[in-house]
Amino acid sequence: MNKIELVNIAKAYEKGTPVIEHLNLNIKEGSFTVLVGPSGCGKSTILRIIAGLEKETSGDVLIEGKNVSDIAPGDRQIAMVFQNYALYPTMTVRENIEFGLKNIKMPKAERQAKIAEISKLVDLEPYLSRKPHQLSGGQRQRVALARAIVKNPSVFLMDEPLSNLDAKLRSQIRTDLIELYRKLKTTFVYVTHDQVEAMSMATDIILLDKGKIQHRGSPADIYENPSNVFTARFIGSPPMNILSVEAIDLEDRMDKESDLIGKEPISISSIGPHHARYVGFRPEHSRIAKRCPEMNDLSINELFLEGIVQSREMLGDHVLYKVKTKYGEVYVKSFQLNMVDYGACHVVLNPKDLMFFDGNQNRIETDEERCYT
Amino acid sequence: MMKSKEGAVVLEQQTGMGLRRVSFDQIKCKVRQYFKQLMPYGMVLPAMAILGLFVLYPIFYMIYLSFFKWNLIGSKAFVGLHNFIRLFSDKAFWEVLGNSFQYMFFTVFFAIVLAIILAVYLKRETKANKLLQSILFTPHIVSLISITFVWMWLMDSNYGFLNYLLSILGLPAMGWLTDSNTALYSLILISVWKSIGYNTLILISAMQAVPKYLYEAASLDNATKWTSFFKITLPMISPTLFFLTLMNMIAAFKVFEPVKIMTQGGPMNATNTLVYDIYQYGFTFYKIGYASALGVVLMIIIGICTILYFAGLSHRVHYR
């Protein structure tokens, strides 16, 4: 069942081009939906439209099937965690959490019981009488969460709630949020520009660019089957290597000895669909070899790409290489920890890991058995 | 030999030069050290000298004079606390003090409350609001003397514009400045009118500095506009409010020009305030000692008020 539906939403600010045009989007009941995209893609605007903080220029917002376009933010059964937490600086932690309850005239005894319960849940008990400026970033974050949870909303909206925290705390709160989501069993809508946050927490990812949905699906789906070049390059770290097929084939035709060869010289277009314009592979799906691998070393269908190691980063469990090839720079994530020296090398690929995209950068879905066998 | 001798001489000279250089360096170092230590004092010296000459010296001289009887010409006669004793036993002084407090209270109250209301109304940045802001601010940049003359004409009991308005409305004419019951309030009216523009401007900028997301959070927390104002806006602008109130208070205690020009403290002492009283004793009656004693009292009152105000309210002010 859909919890939130956006129907034909458009949003334009007074001057300038529209941020969002004709957006249709639905968020499933009980899902942890992450809206992810580069800055300026309209993800925060969408969240603010759902919250009612921003008025849509046209279209309808439905929450539980009910049009809420004319309903005040406070009456939409939602709670929001802001990027900078938006705690009331003049109030103590307790007053911050209590503010929303006071405004709906909840009796004092009930209020206190709720605050006690919530502050225990988020470990804020010792800090209830402190002011926000006396708290650390992580504690403030928890106050913002408590303020949202205490209202018992049916939807949680979160606008980049982790971006003001340091990396360590961020990963810790990420797991806390997953636990919280499992405990509360309500709908979460989460906005971020960080694909790691999206991948780690979401049940549903909606990838946006320039106000348009680029891909939506589960984290596994978006990683394995990106529907276009943008998605392929946005998800995964480092991003997917994308090379122009034309450049490769052009080179191919010029001298018969192709660089991307198997046991026999082959051209990319003979592996992929004929209308493919771009070919991509993930850094973690490639290997690096110092010398041109002996034909015997290659497993049956492997291809290789000649290049020069530009940089290498030892990252503990893997080594990241930047390799300059004739067709552009590619990244190789190698789990073999004995590092390959700078200089000439070969990037080894398996053709089944290649993804093809057409001239509009959209994915060409190929059968499991590619033309090349 | 020659070479070695020459070498030795050079070496000696070098050592000599070296030694001399070391001792010279030491002196230079010492001087630099002193200079470094004295530098900050040197930097603040001009400001301190001006402060001492034009602020501290007059204050101490005033305190000194308050123990003397002096008419500016003859010699000063030490009278101890006589001036203060006379002052506190004078009924007129208590009247003047009462006027000053009344004037201060109403001026500050209206100048602040009305400014808050206006600021809430004008804080949205539209062209009309900007124009209104500038209009509201104008009284602040016009000299108080010229304002006072305009108001004198407006408040004239026979030909004044205000009474003309009252007569149009069918109301009886008022003795704005000539009635001892209304004269002080007329002065308060002018003072509020003059300071409200400045107060509003300062409050508008304070209100505009309150982050928007707090109001968004409040709207998600079901807060009404009223609640948002009292729970968010007011606490957030409290430092500005605190400062403005204090400044207005002190300014009100020191009111002089309108009193001097419009009412000369009358009718029947109704508008006589502390500063005007000091002026009268000092420059009309030439009782410099007595005037100085009044000045000391005024200074102490302002000091006490400021301290009380700080002690009573500062814990409610939210500084970020």
Side-chain angles (χ1 to χ4, degrees):
Chain A
M1 187 194 152
N2 289 331
K3 183 76 186 174
I4 299 167
E5 272 179 84
L6 301 186
V7 185
N8 250 328
I9 289 288
K11 174 73 190 175
Y13 291 99
E14 268 172 51
K15 286 169 203 163
T17 50
V19 187
I20 299 162
E21 281 176 296
H22 308 299
L23 181 84
N24 287 292
L25 193 152
N26 47 61
I27 289 161
K28 283 195 219 69
E29 170 101 58
S31 68
F32 195 133
T33 302
V34 175
L35 303 175
V36 63
S39 52
C41 73
K43 55 192 191 299
S44 282
T45 308
I46 294 172
L47 197 77
R48 293 168 60 82
I49 286 173
I50 296 173
L53 297 174
E54 206 92 60
K55 182 83 184 133
E56 60 278 6
T57 314
S58 66
D60 293 313
V61 181
L62 283 77
I63 297 181
E64 286 177 340
K66 210 171 90 191
N67 195 330
V68 293
S69 297
D70 295 322
I71 293 178
D75 299 328
R76 293 188 179 195
Q77 291 291 305
I78 51 164
M80 185 157 164
V81 178
F82 290 80
Q83 181 172 5
N84 44 22
Y85 318 137
L87 301 180
Y88 309 119
T90 54
M91 301 184 198
T92 61
V93 171
R94 176 189 291 281
E95 288 165 335
N96 261 286
I97 302 172
E98 207 175 20
F99 189 64
L101 305 180
K102 268 188 177 166
N103 289 332
I104 55 166
K105 301 195 169 60
M106 184 182 277
K108 196 176 177 188
E110 204 179 326
R111 268 188 342 236
Q112 277 176 339
K114 275 211 150 190
I115 290 168
E117 183 195 326
I118 299 295
S119 52
K120 200 170 174 186
L121 180 75
V122 295
D123 280 330
L124 277 173
E125 278 165 317
Y127 310 109
L128 281 178
S129 50
R130 291 212 193 157
K131 292 264 177 78
H133 67 92
Q134 295 167 308
L135 301 177
S136 70
Q139 288 164 341
R140 280 180 218 184
Q141 221 275 337
R142 295 211 297 275
V143 178
L145 272 179
R147 193 172 67 176
I149 300 166
V150 81
K151 288 194 285 186
N152 210 5
S154 66
V155 182
F156 279 95
L157 304 178
M158 301 193 182
D159 191 1
E160 310 218 10
L162 305 186
S163 56
N164 285 352
L165 302 174
D166 61 70
K168 210 169 180 181
L169 205 53
R170 209 178 295 167
S171 69
Q172 185 204 320
I173 292 187
R174 233 161 48 202
T175 58
D176 289 351
L177 279 177
I178 296 169
E179 277 176 44
L180 188 71
Y181 164 67
R182 285 166 49 83
K183 219 180 277 178
L184 297 171
K185 297 189 177 67
T186 47
T187 312
F188 278 50
V189 185
Y190 187 105
V191 160
T192 181
H193 63 265
D194 183 356
Q195 58 100 15
V196 178
E197 279 175 33
M199 293 295 280
S200 58
M201 292 188 286
T203 59
D204 238 345
I205 294 179
I206 298 175
L207 177 62
L208 293 150
D209 185 38
K210 298 186 181 105
K212 291 197 169 58
I213 297 178
Q214 299 294 324
H215 190 110
R216 84 168 288 172
S218 67
D221 173 67
I222 202 166
Y223 177 79
E224 282 159 12
N225 292 307
S227 51
N228 47 41
V229 171
F230 178 82
T231 309
R233 291 192 61 83
F234 196 87
I235 301 293
S237 169
M240 186 184 275
N241 298 307
I242 303 283
L243 302 173
S244 162
V245 170
E246 275 159 357
I248 299 173
D249 279 352
L250 200 68
E251 199 76 21
D252 233 10
R253 255 175 264 126
M254 273 161 61
D255 54 84
K256 211 69 198 129
E257 230 180 320
S258 166
D259 287 298
L260 194 62
I261 53 168
K263 288 191 170 175
E264 298 160 30
I266 49 146
S267 82
I268 275 289
S269 45
S270 71
I271 316 170
H274 67 282
H275 58 294
R277 288 293 168 270
Y278 300 93
V279 59
F281 62 93
R282 292 214 176 267
E284 51 273 38
H285 292 159
S286 54
R287 284 192 290 126
I288 196 154
K290 184 66 203 161
R291 271 181 300 281
C292 176
E294 292 293 313
M295 289 309 168
N296 299 344
D297 291 350
L298 283 173
S299 19
I300 180 110
N301 293 329
E302 276 179 327
L303 314 170
F304 63 87
L305 204 53
E306 251 177 28
I308 296 161
V309 176
Q310 295 282 27
S311 76
R312 28 171 230 206
E313 298 166 38
M314 173 68 200
L315 293 162
D317 61 336
H318 68 267
V319 185
L320 185 65
Y321 297 94
K322 188 167 116 181
V323 179
K324 191 178 178 183
T325 71
K326 275 187 195 169
Y327 319 111
E329 280 162 357
V330 298
Y331 285 92
V332 177
K333 207 171 181 176
S334 168
F335 293 92
Q336 297 231 298
L337 296 183
N338 44 346
M339 286 201 273
V340 171
D341 289 335
Y342 285 107
C345 72
H346 286 85
V347 178
V348 185
L349 312 160
N350 188 327
K352 79 172 173 41
D353 291 326
L354 295 178
M355 291 183 193
F356 296 93
F357 302 90
D358 66 16
N360 296 325
Q361 305 207 336
N362 287 322
R363 176 84 182 280
I364 304 168
E365 291 287 346
T366 45
D367 299 330
E368 193 50 47
E369 317 310 320
R370 292 203 165 78
C371 307
Y372 183 80
T373 43
Chain B
M1 277 302 270
M2 279 287 276
K3 257 189 183 173
S4 70
K5 214 177 181 181
E6 263 179 24
V9 168
V10 169
L11 199 71
E12 209 176 64
Q13 270 182 345
Q14 269 182 351
T15 2
M17 283 263 290
L19 274 170
R20 232 176 289 144
R21 203 184 297 137
V22 167
S23 60
F24 182 64
D25 276 355
Q26 271 176 342
I27 292 164
K28 234 166 69 180
C29 188
K30 270 241 166 91
V31 167
R32 200 173 288 160
Q33 230 171 12
Y34 280 123
F35 193 68
K36 229 179 188 173
Q37 276 174 355
L38 291 174
M39 182 81 145
Y41 298 99
M43 296 290 241
V44 296
L45 188 68
M48 288 311 286
I50 290 169
L51 190 75
L53 190 64
F54 295 107
V55 178
L56 295 177
Y57 171 70
I59 287 176
F60 284 108
Y61 194 57
M62 175 183 76
I63 295 170
Y64 169 77
L65 282 177
S66 69
F67 298 113
F68 289 85
K69 190 178 175 176
W70 188 35
N71 61 5
L72 272 183
I73 306 163
S75 59
K76 299 175 200 118
F78 184 76
V79 291
L81 288 173
H82 181 70
N83 283 332
F84 290 96
I85 293 162
R86 239 189 69 202
L87 196 153
F88 286 117
S89 53
D90 185 359
K91 230 183 96 188
F93 167 73
W94 294 105
E95 223 172 76
V96 166
L97 199 64
N99 286 342
S100 284
F101 268 101
Q102 214 177 343
Y103 179 86
M104 183 272 288
F105 177 78
F106 285 109
T107 311
V108 172
F109 181 80
F110 286 111
I112 297 287
V113 171
L114 292 178
I116 292 174
I117 294 168
L118 281 168
V120 169
Y121 180 72
L122 292 176
K123 73 175 171 185
R124 275 187 52 238
E125 277 192 42
T126 62
K127 273 183 188 160
N129 280 357
K130 273 188 185 154
L131 182 71
L132 278 171
Q133 273 180 42
S134 330
I135 293 171
L136 213 58
F137 191 68
T138 331
H140 184 73
I141 52 171
V142 180
S143 118
L144 192 54
I145 305 290
S146 33
I147 285 174
T148 313
F149 276 110
V150 173
W151 277 98
M152 261 174 92
W153 172 73
L154 288 173
M155 288 178 163
D156 189 282
S157 39
N158 297 319
Y159 312 105
F161 183 68
L162 294 181
N163 275 352
Y164 171 70
L165 284 181
L166 287 179
S167 73
I168 286 177
L169 296 169
L171 293 166
M174 279 172 67
W176 292 92
L177 295 166
T178 49
D179 186 336
S180 62
N181 292 320
T182 55
L184 187 66
Y185 295 100
S186 300
L187 289 185
I188 290 169
L189 177 73
I190 297 165
S191 163
V192 169
W193 174 80
K194 180 171 164 61
S195 54
I196 202 164
Y198 177 77
N199 291 353
T200 307
L201 202 75
I202 300 287
L203 286 175
I204 285 174
S205 66
M207 285 182 191
Q208 282 171 346
V210 179
K212 226 175 143 192
Y213 56 74
L214 289 182
Y215 295 110
E216 291 179 347
S219 77
L220 284 162
D221 272 345
N222 294 76
T224 56
K225 285 225 159 120
W226 209 243
T227 322
S228 299
F229 176 74
F230 280 106
K231 295 286 180 181
I232 295 167
T233 311
L234 270 190
M236 290 300 283
I237 63 168
S238 57
T240 311
L241 220 47
F242 186 78
F243 165 79
L244 269 186
T245 311
L246 197 63
M247 288 299 127
N248 275 268
M249 238 168 80
I250 293 169
F253 260 126
K254 299 199 300 194
V255 62
F256 176 71
E257 294 98 323
V259 181
K260 163 77 178 137
I261 292 164
M262 296 176 90
T263 62
Q264 289 85 40
M268 281 156 52
N269 229 12
T271 57
N272 196 355
T273 57
L274 272 174
V275 178
Y276 186 69
D277 212 26
I278 293 170
Y279 166 81
Q280 267 195 317
Y281 276 106
F283 300 103
T284 313
F285 311 141
Y286 295 106
K287 293 182 171 179
I288 300 300
Y290 191 77
S292 296
L294 271 172
V296 171
V297 169
L298 175 67
M299 189 177 78
I300 291 169
I301 287 173
I302 291 180
I304 289 174
C305 282
T306 311
I307 291 166
L308 281 182
Y309 185 66
F310 261 95
L313 276 178
S314 59
H315 70 278
R316 304 193 59 171
V317 172
H318 166 76
Y319 292 104
R320 256 173 301 175

